[in-house]
Amino acid sequence: MERNVGRTVASTERMVDYDRNSSMQVQMVRARAQWLRAAVERIGPVTPEFTVMDYGCGPGHSALHAVLPAIEAYRQIDSEGTIVVRHSDQAGNDWSALMALVFGPDGYQRHASRVRTEAVAGSFYTRLSSPRSVALGTCFAASHWLSRAPAPYSPGTAWFADLKGEARAEFAALARADWTRFLRCRAEELRPGGIFIASTLGSVPDDGEINGIRSSARRLYRAIFRVAQGMVADGLLDRSALDHFVFPLWFPTVEDVCAPIGAEPDLSDKFEILEATVTPAAVHPDDAYEESLDDPATYARLYAGYVRGFGESSLRLHLFGPSAKNPAEVDRLTEDFFERLTRFYQSEPGRHASETLTMTCVLRRR
Ligand SMILES: C[S@@+](CC[C@H](N)C(=O)[O-])C[C@H]1O[C@@H](n2cnc3c(N)ncnc32)[C@H](O)[C@@H]1O
């Protein structure tokens, strides 16, 4: 049963207060510095310019960490050549905040010479650069966002990994089609010999879990659902909106990552898989905020902030919007939800800990 609520189908429009709420993503990107350096060394000097493009860059410090190791490594092998840094995200990204960081005290432009910064607005499910123009492509904590937000009838969960039957099949098919499309776009943009690195939340086989798959952050998404259920019970949210709300995400397994490259001849022709893994995160794999466990108020604030950072836009668009009569009500529901989520985490520190499995995919353009 599909529900036509006449709303946008974008999965998310932007991240909210992202720089303040993205310490987890910053850690993930920083842990990839060595990969970036190794990729630049393997690609070698490029004329007339070396282009690094970060897809789904967001507005925060992680966008700097995504490119700085590549800039430094390239300068080691070519002291004079022009480096182009192309930050790419959806049009609604906070571009002013990003440029303030790039040109600010922590930014790479502060001491750089012959580094040109470009911003590219658009969906990474489309082609965003001219053919064969990108030497190094990266995508951190972003490729798990689907191209649109399906709203299948899915009572009992708001999370792709717990979906069953037709709803799961619909999400699985969309995730596969999206990843295939994403890879086709990158195959066109990368120059031969170029390298593409994607890293985001992943999933691993686990017979003890629903659908035989254990996905990152399972307790967090189940906690979010419980809080939303409480709002339905209190008459604040429309039950049918929650019954049709699923975060438009898919955290891939290694099999998901490799499947289109194995099955689609154009992709196997163009890409060599250098790495495809899903492993526990390098930092705090069992509880993203375990360092604050002995301070429940801080622990709860960090979790609520994390969810606000990546999830507020989707919750507003696809859960609170359909339940509200006007924008002011959407604001009130949003604030109420995050207050409740904070209390939920504060009341049982550790119980709803978010585990992190990191997917890493490194591809070389033949
Ligand atoms: C969690 S943030 C990650 C930002 C940054 N890469 C990091 O590692 O912290 C996810 C980003 O993906 C972007 N995003 C989601 N779907 C997208 C799409 N279809 N095309 C381009 N960017 C997208 C969002 O706008 C957001 O900035």
Side-chain angles (χ1 to χ4, degrees):
M1 187 177 15
E2 188 83 22
R3 190 164 167 261
N4 183 3
V5 284
R7 55 193 154 99
T8 171
V9 292
S11 54
T12 175
E13 288 177 331
R14 63 194 184 97
M15 303 286 114
V16 176
D17 273 348
Y18 191 67
D19 205 30
R20 213 151 46 92
N21 292 319
S22 55
S23 58
M24 208 275 272
Q25 290 92 336
V26 166
Q27 281 164 8
M28 184 194 270
V29 177
R30 290 185 78 155
R32 293 288 167 268
Q34 200 42 45
W35 286 97
L36 295 169
R37 290 194 198 97
V40 170
E41 282 157 21
R42 182 158 180 175
I43 297 163
V46 178
T47 54
E49 46 194 31
F50 178 92
T51 299
V52 51
M53 179 147 180
D54 184 31
Y55 299 85
C57 60
H61 270 86
S62 49
L64 303 182
H65 296 299
V67 296
L68 192 58
I71 296 171
E72 289 170 352
Y74 194 74
R75 271 292 164 260
Q76 297 293 312
I77 57 173
D78 181 355
S79 57
E80 296 295 317
T82 299
I83 300 172
V84 179
V85 180
R86 217 167 263 169
H87 300 282
S88 181
D89 206 293
Q90 303 181 101
N93 189 43
D94 188 345
W95 296 101
S96 307
L98 175 62
M99 290 304 148
L101 289 177
V102 166
F103 290 91
D106 303 337
Y108 60 83
Q109 280 293 358
R110 191 84 167 183
H111 305 290
S113 67
R114 288 178 300 285
V115 177
R116 191 171 77 242
T117 296
E118 296 179 353
V120 179
S123 169
F124 48 49
Y125 293 114
T126 62
R127 216 187 69 203
L128 293 165
S129 266
S130 47
R132 300 173 168 228
S133 65
V134 176
L136 174 62
T138 57
C139 185
F140 295 117
S143 55
H144 57 273
W145 286 102
L146 298 174
S147 59
R148 60 185 176 81
Y153 180 61
S154 51
T157 187
W159 190 44
F160 78 94
D162 288 347
L163 292 174
K164 304 217 181 79
E166 274 180 38
R168 178 165 171 87
E170 183 182 0
F171 262 67
L174 179 61
R176 168 85 179 241
D178 277 354
W179 182 234
T180 306
R181 184 142 58 107
F182 182 101
L183 291 173
R184 288 209 165 104
C185 295
R186 303 302 78 82
E188 283 190 55
E189 295 165 344
L190 281 167
R191 46 181 287 121
I195 290 182
F196 181 72
I197 302 178
S199 192
T200 193
L201 299 172
S203 303
V204 290
D206 182 337
D207 288 341
E209 268 293 342
I210 298 173
N211 295 308
I213 295 291
R214 175 160 47 94
S215 286
S216 289
R218 55 187 164 163
R219 295 194 198 97
L220 175 72
Y221 284 95
R222 289 167 185 161
I224 291 171
F225 183 74
R226 295 241 327 253
V227 170
Q229 252 184 331
M231 289 175 73
V232 171
D234 292 345
L236 297 168
L237 281 185
D238 181 0
R239 177 176 304 280
S240 122
L242 184 57
D243 282 350
H244 289 85
F245 173 72
V246 184
F247 277 95
L249 304 167
W250 187 272
F251 303 157
T253 59
V254 169
E255 200 188 330
D256 294 332
V257 170
C258 297
I261 302 173
E264 308 288 338
D266 61 321
L267 290 176
S268 29
D269 275 358
K270 289 186 180 125
F271 283 127
E272 175 191 356
I273 301 175
L274 301 181
E275 173 91 17
T277 51
V278 175
T279 53
V283 186
H284 306 314
D286 300 323
D287 183 345
Y289 298 108
E290 65 192 358
E291 281 177 341
S292 301
L293 263 173
D294 56 358
D295 176 359
T298 302
Y299 182 81
R301 186 176 47 72
L302 287 169
Y303 265 104
Y306 172 53
V307 175
R308 198 185 270 279
F310 76 79
E312 181 178 323
S313 159
S314 289
L315 287 163
R316 279 177 175 269
L317 284 172
H318 306 299
L319 180 58
F320 305 146
S323 289
K325 289 183 228 39
N326 53 51
E329 206 178 315
V330 175
D331 290 345
R332 279 197 297 280
L333 288 173
T334 304
E335 290 321 307
D336 193 355
F337 172 83
F338 283 106
E339 275 164 28
R340 286 169 182 245
L341 186 67
T342 308
R343 288 199 298 274
F344 193 78
Y345 266 86
Q346 188 161 350
S347 65
E348 297 176 294
R351 175 101 191 260
H352 311 287
S354 181
E355 302 149 305
T356 310
L357 292 158
T358 307
M359 180 283 279
T360 306
C361 165
V362 184
L363 305 175
R364 184 171 174 278
R365 176 74 164 82
R366 294 186 212 272

